[in-house]
Every structure is written in C-alpha cells, then in structure tokens.
Amino acid sequence: MEANLRWSLVTAVAPIAWGTNYYVTREFLPAGHPLYGAAFRALPAGLLLLAVCRELPRGSWWGKSLLLGFLNMGGFFALVYVAAQRLPTSAASTVMATAPLVMMLFAWALIAERPGPPQLTGAGLGVAGVSLMLLTGDVPVDALGVAASVAAMAMSSLGYILAKRWSGEADVLSSTAWQLLGGGLMLLPFAVGVEGSPPDLDPQALLAFGYVTVVATALAFAAWFAGLRRLPAATVGLLGLLNPVTGVLLGTAIAGETLTFRQICGLLLTLAGILLGRRGGFLTARDEGNSAGSN
C-alpha cells in the first residue's frame, strides 16, 4: 500500500503539470502554429532526457519509439495544441476526462487488465465531476476543436497502454526520451511544409516554451510512464483527472475566480472518483483463471 501511494503521488505530478499547460498555451504561446508548437515542445524535452540517460534505441525499439512517439507525443501534442487554441479549457478538459474509461478498455483488450466496479464507478464519477466543474450552457462548441480533442484522447489512451505493455524492455527515461524525439522529428517536416517559417517568439513565449518543455513535458511524461509501469492502467487513468482539477484551481488562484457551489460539487465528485479507483478491483487474465480454478 505504501509503494502504491508513493507511485500514485509520483504519477500525479504529470496531470497536475498538464493542467497548467492549457492556460500557458492559450495565454502565452503563438496561435496558428500547432505543428511548430508541438515540435518545439517535444524535441527539446527529448534531448534533455536523452542527455540524462545517454542511451539510444536498440532493435525493435526504433519502430516502437516512432509509433509511441506519434501516439503519445507528436500527433497528440499537435491535436492538443489545436484544441487549446479553438476550445475553452472547460470543453477540452471535459473531453479529455473520458480518457480513464478509454484507457481501461484498451488495457482490458491489450494487457488483460479487466477493470472492476470501483474503477468503472470512479471513471463515471470523474466524468460527471468534470462536467459539473467546467461545462456551462454558454460554452461555445467548435467542431474542429472537439474533433481534435477526441482524437488526442483516443490516440494517447492507446499509446499509454502500448507503452505499459512494452515497459519491461527499456528504462523509463530512455523510452520517454525516444518517444519525444521520435514524435518531434516526425512533426518537424510537416511543420515546415504546412506552416512555413517558424513563429517569432518574444521573451514571454520563450519562457512559456521553457516551462512547457521542462515541467509539462520532460518531467511530467517521465513521472507518468514511471507510474504506468508500477500501477494498474485504471488507477493511472483516473489520476489523470487531476488535470482538469488543476485547471479549475489555477483559474481560481490566478484570475481570482470564485468557485461556485456547482464547481465545488464537481471537484468533490472528481476527487471521489480518483480515490475510488485506487481501491484495486482490476483483474488480469491470470487472476480470472485462478478464480475459476478455485470454484
């Protein structure tokens, strides 16, 4: 239990850092350059981690790094950048709140982790809580922004489970670095071809990219993949709900917004879903076989 709590706290670093990323992207980074924005986020973070681990991929990890880099980094970052520029944080975060449930389904199909009632109930509470926290009747809906957010959620959910499936084949820092570099290198030629010259970055934007690179990317993804190695995918997915919770609390702290009764109820529901999901309740194929043999 102590080990699970410790790794849950480590994993929680990621969604908390990502919860600040929507605000930073929307307020400080140049609009209209999602491909450059994604490449500028992934490549420096990958180089930073590679400088620490000093190890290159071997064998099948060249291909796996490219696939995971596309799902978890390159394609995901570009879609998140589009969503952040075209949707209010509330709408984008609500779509992403369905990720725990999608991760559970992929984990069941690919690594034989069948979610139990606590995880499924926790995911439902989480989606309901995020909706209460963020959605209002006057939230504008941009079809492209919604599509980008849904695609990002589905791609990353699949990528995370594949990363967990292959986690025993490379250490965390190395595999994270390879994914970031693979995703960033795939994006760069598309950025040049589609968006032309890179955007001009003022000192404020450079500082914002520095934060996004070091904290919201290198540190966050290393913590996230470390948690995926040691915790059930359902637990990790539910911890991801700290992302929108962080966004709401950040708005309260920075913009001086006051939490409404509805938002407080949503916040409590979301936290209840996260805590409920930590109670275990997932079964692997081996567990099911043992259970059947004992009956």
Side-chain angles (χ1 to χ4, degrees), residues 18 41 72-73 76-77 160 176 216-226:
W18 295 334
R41 178 181 179 184
N72 295 333
M73 312 296 180
F76 174 71
F77 288 166
Y160 295 154
T176 305
T217 306
L219 175 62
F221 275 101
W224 184 255
F225 288 125

Side-chain angles (χ1 to χ4, degrees), residues 166-281:
W166 298 327
S167 62
E169 303 175 15
D171 66 85
V172 171
L173 291 184
S174 296
S175 62
T176 305
W178 303 336
Q179 291 179 61
L180 286 165
L181 290 171
L185 289 172
M186 281 190 289
L187 279 168
L188 201 55
F190 290 99
V192 174
V194 175
E195 298 175 0
S197 300
D200 294 326
L201 302 177
D202 58 25
Q204 184 174 255
L206 287 172
L207 286 174
F209 265 121
Y211 171 81
V212 168
T213 294
V214 177
V215 177
T217 306
L219 175 62
F221 275 101
W224 184 255
F225 288 125
L228 269 172
R229 285 172 178 244
R230 295 166 175 87
L231 297 170
T235 300
V236 175
L238 286 167
L239 285 169
L241 293 172
L242 290 171
N243 184 330
V245 169
T246 301
V248 169
L249 295 179
L250 187 66
T252 303
I254 293 180
E257 301 169 356
T258 302
L259 287 175
T260 65
F261 177 73
R262 173 177 170 168
Q263 286 178 310
I264 292 173
C265 290
L267 182 65
L268 293 175
L269 269 179
T270 305
L271 294 175
I274 294 170
L275 292 174
L276 185 60
R278 288 198 65 249
R279 292 180 54 192

Side-chain angles (χ1 to χ4, degrees), residues 17 19 27 48 75 102 115 119 125 141 175 184 267:
E27 296 296 325
L48 177 63
V102 177
Q119 280 72 39
L125 288 176
V141 176
S175 62
L267 182 65

Side-chain angles (χ1 to χ4, degrees), residues 9-33:
L9 293 175
V10 169
T11 308
V13 169
I16 291 172
W18 295 334
T20 65
N21 192 52
Y22 276 112
Y23 175 81
V24 172
T25 297
R26 195 172 181 86
E27 296 296 325
F28 302 113
L29 298 184
H33 294 83

Side-chain angles (χ1 to χ4, degrees), residues 56-95:
L56 293 175
R58 296 192 184 106
S60 65
W61 264 100
W62 287 103
K64 291 175 180 177
S65 297
L66 290 176
L67 175 60
L68 294 178
F70 172 72
L71 293 173
N72 295 333
M73 312 296 180
F76 174 71
F77 288 166
L79 290 168
V80 166
Y81 201 94
V82 171
Q85 296 291 347
R86 302 185 69 95
L87 288 178
T89 301
S90 59
S93 296
T94 301
V95 172

